[in-house]
Coordinates of all heavy atoms in Angstrom, one line a residue:
I2 N 13.0 16.4 -15.3 CA 11.8 16.5 -14.5 C 11.4 17.9 -14.2 O 12.3 18.8 -13.8 CB 12.1 15.8 -13.1 CG1 12.4 14.3 -13.4 CG2 11.0 15.9 -12.1 CD1 11.3 13.5 -14.0
L20 N -9.0 17.1 3.9 CA -9.4 17.1 5.3 C -9.0 18.4 5.9 O -8.0 19.1 5.5 CB -8.7 16.0 6.0 CG -9.1 14.6 5.6 CD1 -8.2 13.5 6.3 CD2 -10.5 14.3 5.9
C25 N -5.9 14.2 3.2 CA -7.1 13.9 2.4 C -7.6 12.5 2.8 O -6.9 11.6 3.3 CB -6.8 14.0 0.9 SG -5.4 13.0 0.3
V41 N -6.9 12.3 -12.5 CA -5.6 11.7 -12.9 C -5.8 11.1 -14.4 O -4.9 11.3 -15.2 CB -5.2 10.6 -12.0 CG1 -3.9 9.8 -12.5 CG2 -4.9 11.2 -10.6
L48 N -2.1 14.0 -22.4 CA -0.8 13.7 -23.1 C -1.0 12.8 -24.3 O 0.0 12.4 -24.9 CB 0.1 13.1 -22.1 CG 0.6 13.9 -21.0 CD1 1.6 13.2 -20.1 CD2 1.3 15.2 -21.5
G68 N 7.7 -0.8 -31.4 CA 7.4 -2.2 -31.7 C 6.2 -2.7 -30.9 O 5.5 -2.0 -30.3
V73 N 7.3 -0.9 -19.8 CA 7.9 -0.7 -18.5 C 6.9 0.1 -17.7 O 6.6 1.3 -18.1 CB 9.3 0.0 -18.6 CG1 9.8 0.4 -17.2 CG2 10.3 -0.9 -19.3
D80 N -5.8 5.8 -3.8 CA -6.7 5.7 -2.7 C -5.9 5.9 -1.4 O -4.6 5.8 -1.4 CB -7.4 4.3 -2.6 CG -6.5 3.2 -2.3 OD1 -5.4 3.0 -3.1 OD2 -6.7 2.4 -1.4
G90 N 1.5 6.8 -2.1 CA 0.9 6.3 -3.3 C 0.9 7.3 -4.4 O 1.4 7.0 -5.6
V100 N 7.6 11.5 -15.6 CA 8.6 10.9 -16.4 C 8.2 10.8 -17.8 O 8.9 11.2 -18.7 CB 9.0 9.5 -15.8 CG1 9.9 8.8 -16.8 CG2 9.7 9.6 -14.5
E124 N -4.7 0.3 -0.2 CA -4.6 0.6 1.3 C -5.3 -0.5 2.1 O -4.9 -0.8 3.2 CB -5.2 1.9 1.6 CG -4.3 3.1 1.1 CD -3.0 3.2 1.9 OE1 -2.7 2.4 2.7 OE2 -2.3 4.2 1.7
M133 N -5.3 -5.1 -3.4 CA -6.3 -5.9 -4.0 C -6.2 -5.8 -5.5 O -6.1 -6.8 -6.2 CB -7.7 -5.5 -3.6 CG -8.8 -6.3 -4.2 SD -10.4 -5.8 -3.7 CE -10.5 -6.4 -2.0
S135 N -3.8 -4.7 -7.6 CA -2.6 -5.2 -8.2 C -2.5 -6.7 -8.0 O -2.0 -7.4 -8.9 CB -1.4 -4.5 -7.6 OG -1.4 -4.6 -6.2
D145 N -13.2 -13.2 -8.5 CA -14.5 -13.3 -8.0 C -14.6 -13.1 -6.4 O -15.5 -12.5 -5.9 CB -15.1 -14.7 -8.3 CG -15.4 -14.9 -9.8 OD1 -15.5 -13.8 -10.5 OD2 -15.6 -16.0 -10.2
D155 N -20.2 -2.3 4.6 CA -21.1 -3.4 4.2 C -21.3 -3.5 2.7 O -21.9 -4.4 2.2 CB -22.4 -3.4 4.9 CG -23.0 -4.8 5.1 OD1 -22.2 -5.7 5.3 OD2 -24.2 -5.0 4.9
E274 N -19.9 -8.5 26.3 CA -20.2 -9.9 25.9 C -19.5 -10.2 24.5 O -19.5 -11.4 24.1 CB -21.7 -10.0 25.8 CG -22.3 -9.2 24.6 CD -23.8 -9.5 24.5 OE1 -24.4 -10.3 25.3 OE2 -24.5 -8.9 23.6
D307 N -9.9 -20.1 28.9 CA -9.7 -19.9 30.3 C -10.8 -18.9 30.9 O -11.1 -19.0 32.1 CB -8.3 -19.3 30.6 CG -7.2 -20.3 30.4 OD1 -7.5 -21.5 30.2 OD2 -6.0 -19.9 30.3
C310 N -15.0 -18.1 27.3 CA -15.5 -17.5 26.1 C -15.2 -18.3 24.9 O -14.5 -19.3 24.9 CB -14.8 -16.1 25.9 SG -15.1 -14.9 27.2
R314 N -11.7 -16.7 14.5 CA -10.7 -15.8 13.8 C -10.9 -16.0 12.3 O -11.2 -17.0 11.8 CB -9.3 -16.0 14.3 CG -8.8 -17.4 14.0 CD -7.3 -17.5 14.5 NE -6.8 -18.9 14.6 CZ -6.3 -19.6 13.6 NH1 -6.2 -19.0 12.4 NH2 -5.9 -20.8 13.8
D326 N 13.7 -8.0 -7.7 CA 14.7 -8.5 -8.7 C 16.0 -7.9 -8.5 O 16.2 -6.7 -8.4 CB 14.2 -8.0 -10.1 CG 15.1 -8.5 -11.2 OD1 15.0 -9.7 -11.6 OD2 15.9 -7.7 -11.7
D373 N 10.0 13.1 9.8 CA 9.7 12.6 11.1 C 9.1 11.1 11.0 O 8.6 10.6 12.0 CB 8.7 13.4 11.9 CG 9.2 14.8 12.2 OD1 10.4 14.9 12.4 OD2 8.4 15.8 12.3
L388 N 11.5 14.9 -3.4 CA 10.6 14.5 -4.5 C 11.4 14.5 -5.8 O 11.2 13.6 -6.6 CB 9.4 15.4 -4.5 CG 8.5 15.5 -3.3 CD1 7.4 16.6 -3.5 CD2 7.9 14.2 -3.0
A411 N 16.5 15.4 -31.0 CA 17.8 15.3 -30.3 C 18.9 16.0 -31.0 O 18.9 16.1 -32.2 CB 18.1 13.8 -30.1

Side-chain angles (χ1 to χ4, degrees):
I2 298 301
L20 295 171
C25 53
V41 174
L48 294 182
V73 172
D80 67 307
V100 170
E124 291 289 6
M133 180 183 287
S135 54
D145 289 346
D155 208 39
E274 68 177 359
D307 291 347
C310 296
R314 60 179 167 87
D326 182 77
D373 297 329
L388 300 176

